[in-house]
Amino acid sequence: MPHTFDFDLLVIGDANPDVVLGPLDAPLSFGQHEQLVDSGLLTLGGSAAIMACGAARLGLKVAFAGRIGDDDAGRFVRTALDERGVDTTALRVDPTLATPLTVVLTRPDGDRAILTSPGTLTATGPQDVPESLLHAARHVHAASYFLLPQLAAALPELFGAACARGATTSLDTNDDPSGGWAPDALPATLAVTDFLLPNAQEALALSAAAAVPSAVSSSALSSSAVSSRITSSRAASSSAAGTAPDSIEAAAAALAAHGTHVIVKNGADGAVAHDGSTVLRTDGIPARPVDTVGAGDSFDAGFVAAHLRGLSTADALALAAACGALSTRAHGGTPAQPTWDEAMAALSRNGKNL
């Protein structure tokens, strides 16, 4: 009898307030010198939280699992997720650590600097993902891999359990503040990740690190289907190892050799998908961005929503690109996230009918 799911999507990872300031058109000045910018905004942040809100906005039934502090920032996060239709039953409160906090400084050219106080991120782990909820979602997405070391180490087992129940999985690693890009568990995680969703810079860094062969362990995973994926990943990554890719397409191909479909976001230039043999591309949707914070997370939400609706990878790429572009219409990651109809209308206006 087929397994039934209570949620379309479970998102696990980071959630925090974002203070977005900018654009700053001069170098950041210390020495207690005050600099003025045109706008400031307190809004919901965290790659996982923004993705969850985007998916809910697109009509998915979404649950969130993670950890916040017992403070005003944590209460802000829970309220913001609740107001956007995300189930926060599994959002746990840490009695001692503070809620993470991020300050985003934007520049006129769209670039930004990000300062984050990790707070509860260092303590977030598999114990914050209820087994019942993991089994209740038909897709599981994780984000901010390098900010959550305990959760990252457990992802092979968590994703493996989801795969064994017939769910699909996705991962957006985001940036690695340490610059290492190669934790021990990453190859095993990629082997049970259906869709890897880095941006172009992240894809190049991840693939360069992955060019060094790594052992992939399947000892924690019991599903024969999952074990088969890991075996294939080990063989493919071994044959592909040794050369750091120098283009987005090459980076996507190198990462796809680990057994995952790779979707590389490239801002206004669109996106590239690689499944290990076939490359697909989509152009970006024209936009006049007010703020690009969270655009990649909104792209992720669009891609997963399209996948769960049964769209082809090519159509999912186009829909995701529209979601990313439309999310830049306002300051902050969530205020301008589109509905499904708004995303489809944007595609239609640009001559793309799915």
Side-chain angles (χ1 to χ4, degrees):
M1 184 175 179
H3 182 69
T4 58
F5 299 102
D6 297 324
F7 291 96
D8 297 308
L9 172 65
L10 167 62
V11 181
I12 54 180
D14 56 330
N16 56 264
D18 269 358
V19 180
V20 184
L21 300 171
L24 182 65
D25 58 5
L28 184 63
S29 178
F30 286 87
Q32 302 185 50
H33 175 65
E34 187 164 1
Q35 295 172 271
L36 301 181
V37 295
D38 290 339
S39 68
L41 178 70
L42 174 63
T43 187
L44 181 65
S47 178
I50 294 172
M51 189 277 186
C53 291
R57 179 75 170 154
L58 290 166
L60 298 187
K61 189 175 182 181
V62 182
F64 189 92
R67 186 181 291 221
I68 53 175
D70 185 11
D71 49 29
D72 288 341
R75 287 181 279 276
F76 172 87
V77 164
R78 188 183 297 277
T79 297
L81 287 168
D82 288 339
E83 288 178 346
R84 289 162 176 78
V86 177
D87 187 295
T88 58
T89 304
L91 182 58
R92 296 184 174 175
V93 177
D94 190 297
T96 58
L97 294 174
T99 300
L101 183 63
T102 292
V103 176
V104 181
L105 300 175
T106 66
R107 294 185 60 86
D109 61 2
D111 196 8
R112 57 189 183 268
I114 303 171
L115 304 175
T116 294
S117 172
T120 57
L121 296 180
T122 57
T124 304
Q127 70 277 9
D128 296 312
V129 186
E131 185 177 2
S132 59
L133 188 54
L134 188 67
H135 295 165
R138 59 193 184 109
H139 187 92
V140 180
H141 177 81
S144 295
Y145 183 87
F146 297 102
L147 297 181
L148 299 146
Q150 290 192 44
L151 189 62
L155 273 186
E157 184 173 358
L158 294 173
F159 274 12
C163 292
R165 293 281 183 142
T168 49
T169 58
S170 57
L171 171 65
D172 189 343
T173 65
N174 303 105
D175 188 42
D176 181 1
S178 75
W181 294 98
D184 292 340
L186 186 56
T189 300
L190 295 182
V192 286
T193 299
D194 288 288
F195 303 105
L196 178 66
L197 295 153
N199 66 26
Q201 290 180 324
E202 293 157 1
L204 289 167
L206 285 166
S207 59
V212 179
S214 298
V216 178
S217 171
S218 60
S219 60
L221 307 176
S222 59
S223 165
S224 60
V226 173
S227 296
S228 175
R229 289 179 61 176
I230 290 176
T231 301
S232 298
S233 169
R234 182 187 294 116
S237 61
S238 177
S239 64
T243 304
D246 59 0
S247 70
I248 294 173
E249 290 79 3
L255 291 168
H258 287 265
T260 180
H261 288 66
V262 182
I263 314 298
V264 182
K265 299 165 285 192
N266 198 22
D269 291 329
V272 173
H274 203 302
D275 66 0
S277 59
T278 302
V279 179
L280 298 172
R281 298 176 181 83
T282 191
D283 295 330
I285 296 295
R288 294 182 178 179
V290 173
D291 183 3
T292 60
V293 171
D297 307 313
S298 295
F299 178 106
D300 294 351
F303 186 87
V304 170
H307 161 69
L308 292 176
R309 284 189 179 227
L311 271 65
S312 68
T313 300
D315 286 347
L317 271 183
L319 191 283
C323 289
L326 292 173
S327 76
T328 68
R329 295 173 294 176
H331 290 286
T334 60
Q337 288 178 317
T339 64
W340 182 268
D341 288 344
E342 287 173 337
M344 293 294 285
L347 288 174
S348 181
R349 287 194 301 271
N350 287 276
K352 297 180 180 181
N353 296 303
L354 306 188

